[in-house]
Amino acid sequence: MKKVNELRAGALLSYVNIAITTIIPLLYTPIMLKMLGQSEYGLYSLSNSIISYLSILNFGMGSAVVRYITVASAEENKDKVERTMGLFLKIYGALALLVLIVGGIITIFVDSLFAKGLSVEEINKLRILMIIMSVSTAISFPLSVYSSVLISYEKYIFRRILDITSTVMLPILNLVVLFMGEGSIGMAAVGVVIQIIYGYVYIYYCKRKIGVKAKYDKLNYDMLKEIWGFTAFVFLGMIVDMLYWATDKVLIGALIGSVAVAVYNIGGVFTSMVNSMSSAISNVFSSRITTMVVKDQPIEKLSELLIRIGRIQYLVIAFIISGYIVFGKAFIHFWSGDAYMEAYYIALYTMIPLAIPLIQNVAYNTILAQKKHKFRSIIYAIIAVVNVISTYMAIPKYGIIGAAVCTAIAYVIGNGIIMNIYYYKVTKLDIPKFWLNIAKISVVPVIFSIAGLYIVNKILIINSIKLFLIEVIAYSVLYIVCIWLTSMNQYEKSIFYDMIKFIKKK
């Protein structure tokens, strides 16, 4: 019962974090844009995209840490947990050093990579940003082991409270350094400080509250071989994700410039919000799915979990996408200005295809736990390479819109068609029943999107922030009432009731 309560509270706190994660960027980003300027904001985003490539140097170990520690904790073998922690900390320590080396090498070649799109001053600033972000990434590697321990032991409440704290503190500290005149370099330094504080808290909680600490033995080469067999295709999947999401901005920066990166990244802000909203709930269930697979639970139960969680994720995502379709242009106009208007289409072309894998996170976690992720990684790799080539060819003629469309097409083919066939034929998940459920609750989002778009563009044309807010509130209330009455089942309504009870109790 205690674990069930922890799970429910973790899920509720996830959505509290989602709300905060959604609201804070809406308030914080316009201020940051104004203080940084379009060019420096694009430079900061470009640096983030380049350094994100370094995150793949964990070689997919993140999933392995959760899996192996979860298996050890499910066996109630504390000694095995601590030895597994020690092994992964050794691995991550070596990988952190590799991050610093590779990051240093990349900074040497920045000028030759971006000479066409960036000025000399921008290249020099980009180099400094990349050095600081490389340090931050290196620190995060060993700390992810302790974070995985929290997930494995289902300490969701503490983990989500940390997430909420970070969500609130990061923009506050960023604004402080911006008001001090430190610009993007100050913001990058804040990231390092946050990582160090997180590290202390994680280590303290694992040792004092959970009662586990790392034990360092000689390297277990048999276990290393098994871990690499598990992570090899996770690692390939990570490379693919980089090719999908980071490469667009790198190519835009190299071929067009920092201003275009800024516009493209604003579109990515909305896509990231949708991603966070969906992933928060599925992350709560990742260790639970691993445990179910290890204990050989029937595939029917995993199918039920896929449908139950997928419906909840879709209800949230569909509401956000529908609202964005109707009010996105007006919002960007008031929020960041017409100079970023192309971001509306960037977000639209990327967030709709992305919704497919997001509402099927349980399916991905299932094949991961079953060690059947090889096929997914290979298919994604092939499509991602095609995406990069097509994006490179499309940017000179169609600009950032062309880049977004190429990514959208690749995602529909990979996630929407090929992987659903795989989930059904190989994993044996009940995919037809899943999509039938999604189709049934899609009526309201489709009707509201079409009708809302017509009304906003033809009848109640938005010409002030006040009218914008009135229409958004009216739209939201009507949408939620219709969804409640026509689409939500008793389980989904019970989550809302539980949230009210939780708030009253606290």
Side-chain angles (χ1 to χ4, degrees):
M1 180 60 70
K2 185 177 179 181
K3 282 194 173 184
V4 173
N5 291 335
E6 184 89 21
L7 192 68
R8 285 197 171 193
L12 291 173
L13 286 172
S14 292
Y15 278 100
V16 171
N17 190 40
I18 285 169
I20 296 172
T21 305
T22 303
I23 293 169
I24 286 181
L26 299 182
L27 302 174
Y28 157 73
T29 304
I31 302 172
M32 179 188 64
L33 287 175
K34 187 175 181 180
M35 298 186 73
L36 277 182
Q38 201 173 29
S39 177
E40 188 166 359
Y41 174 68
L43 207 61
Y44 180 77
S45 303
L46 178 60
S47 178
N48 260 319
S49 297
I50 298 169
I51 295 302
S52 66
Y53 284 106
L54 296 181
S55 65
I56 68 174
L57 292 177
N58 74 5
F59 296 100
M61 292 289 175
S63 299
V65 176
V66 174
R67 187 184 194 281
Y68 283 92
I69 293 178
T70 297
V71 170
S73 61
E75 296 171 357
E76 298 183 357
N77 189 334
K78 181 182 175 182
D79 183 68
K80 187 176 179 181
V81 169
E82 293 179 333
R83 293 183 189 282
T84 304
M85 284 178 63
L87 175 62
F88 278 109
L89 282 170
K90 281 184 177 180
I91 295 171
Y92 270 109
L95 295 178
L97 181 61
L98 181 61
V99 165
L100 293 175
I101 294 170
V102 175
I105 293 171
I106 293 174
T107 58
I108 295 172
F109 296 99
V110 165
D111 50 352
S112 57
L113 291 172
F114 296 96
K116 182 178 179 180
L118 303 179
S119 67
V120 174
E121 184 182 351
E122 286 177 325
I123 288 173
N124 290 334
K125 183 169 285 188
L126 181 64
R127 185 176 283 111
I128 297 170
L129 286 169
M130 289 173 58
I131 291 171
I132 297 172
M133 291 180 181
S134 297
V135 172
S136 181
T137 303
I139 294 172
S140 72
F141 270 36
L143 297 184
S144 64
V145 176
Y146 292 95
S147 174
S148 298
V149 171
L150 297 184
I151 296 173
S152 300
Y153 277 84
E154 299 189 351
K155 298 300 180 182
Y156 300 118
I157 295 176
F158 179 75
R159 174 70 188 275
R160 295 308 170 201
I161 289 173
L162 270 184
D163 289 342
I164 291 169
T165 304
S166 175
T167 301
V168 173
M169 290 306 299
L170 184 60
I172 290 174
L173 293 175
N174 279 343
L175 288 178
V176 169
V177 297
L178 286 176
F179 278 111
M180 292 170 62
E182 300 300 327
S184 57
I185 293 174
M187 290 171 61
V190 166
V192 177
V193 173
I194 292 290
Q195 289 289 357
I196 293 171
I197 295 172
Y198 249 50
Y200 175 80
V201 174
Y202 275 141
I203 295 169
Y204 176 85
Y205 191 88
C206 287
K207 286 184 177 180
R208 301 298 181 185
K209 301 298 180 180
I210 300 178
V212 294
K213 57 182 180 180
K215 289 183 179 178
Y216 300 98
D217 296 328
K218 291 182 179 179
L219 285 176
N220 185 335
Y221 290 101
D222 289 335
M223 190 173 181
L224 277 176
K225 184 178 179 181
E226 182 184 343
I227 290 169
W228 176 246
F230 175 79
T231 60
F233 290 98
V234 178
F235 171 54
L236 181 58
M238 292 173 63
I239 294 175
V240 169
D241 282 338
M242 290 296 104
L243 291 175
Y244 270 123
W245 299 113
T247 304
D248 279 4
K249 282 180 275 189
V250 173
L251 289 175
I252 290 167
L255 298 174
I256 304 177
S258 58
V259 173
V261 175
V263 176
Y264 195 90
N265 197 69
I266 286 294
V269 168
F270 298 104
T271 304
S272 297
M273 288 179 187
V274 173
N275 193 5
S276 299
M277 290 173 186
S278 176
S279 300
I281 188 67
S282 62
N283 288 342
V284 171
F285 286 89
S286 59
S287 64
R288 182 62 55 91
I289 293 167
T290 301
T291 302
M292 289 173 70
V293 172
V294 169
K295 294 185 177 180
D296 202 24
Q297 292 288 320
I299 195 67
E300 289 79 14
K301 288 194 173 183
L302 287 166
S303 291
E304 290 173 8
L305 185 64
L306 168 65
I307 293 168
R308 188 165 74 246
I309 304 306
R311 280 177 59 98
I312 296 170
Q313 291 171 313
Y314 182 76
L315 286 169
V316 175
I317 290 173
F319 173 55
I320 300 300
I321 292 179
S322 174
Y324 181 80
I325 290 171
V326 177
F327 299 105
K329 284 187 177 179
F331 178 79
I332 291 174
H333 170 74
F334 294 119
W335 185 58
S336 56
D338 291 340
Y340 293 91
M341 193 53 68
E342 275 188 303
Y344 171 79
Y345 300 101
I346 300 300
L348 207 57
Y349 294 147
T350 53
M351 71 167 66
I352 293 177
L354 180 63
I356 299 171
L358 288 181
I359 63 176
Q360 292 185 314
N361 272 331
V362 171
Y364 171 64
N365 284 324
T366 299
I367 64 170
L368 204 60
Q370 293 175 339
K371 299 183 181 179
K372 292 181 179 179
H373 51 288
K374 176 181 177 180
F375 176 80
R376 178 184 184 272
S377 299
I378 293 172
I379 291 298
Y380 273 31
I382 294 169
I383 295 175
V385 170
V386 174
N387 177 44
V388 171
I389 295 170
S390 61
T391 298
Y392 182 81
M393 295 171 65
I395 286 175
K397 187 173 182 179
Y398 301 104
I400 59 177
I401 299 295
V405 170
C406 290
T407 300
I409 293 171
Y411 242 68
V412 169
I413 294 172
N415 291 286
I417 300 173
I418 298 175
M419 281 314 301
N420 271 269
I421 295 172
Y422 183 82
Y423 291 144
Y424 180 55
K425 295 290 186 181
V426 179
T427 314
K428 304 301 181 183
L429 290 167
D430 197 342
I431 297 301
K433 187 176 179 181
F434 171 85
W435 283 112
L436 182 62
N437 271 267
I438 297 302
K440 287 179 179 178
I441 58 177
S442 294
V443 176
V444 171
V446 171
I447 291 175
F448 267 70
S449 297
I450 296 171
L453 204 57
Y454 177 80
I455 292 169
V456 166
N457 286 324
K458 301 294 184 180
I459 302 173
L460 300 175
I461 299 172
I462 298 171
N463 52 24
S464 68
I465 294 178
K466 182 180 178 180
L467 184 59
F468 171 78
L469 294 174
I470 291 171
E471 290 190 24
V472 167
I473 293 169
Y475 180 90
S476 300
V477 171
L478 287 172
Y479 184 102
I480 292 169
V481 169
C482 288
I483 283 288
W484 182 275
L485 295 176
T486 65
S487 304
M488 292 176 69
N489 58 34
Q490 289 303 312
Y491 173 76
E492 289 150 6
K493 291 177 181 178
S494 72
I495 293 175
F496 175 79
Y497 292 134
D498 287 346
M499 190 179 298
I500 298 300
K501 290 178 184 177
F502 179 80
I503 292 170
K504 285 183 177 179
K505 183 179 178 181
K506 294 301 177 182

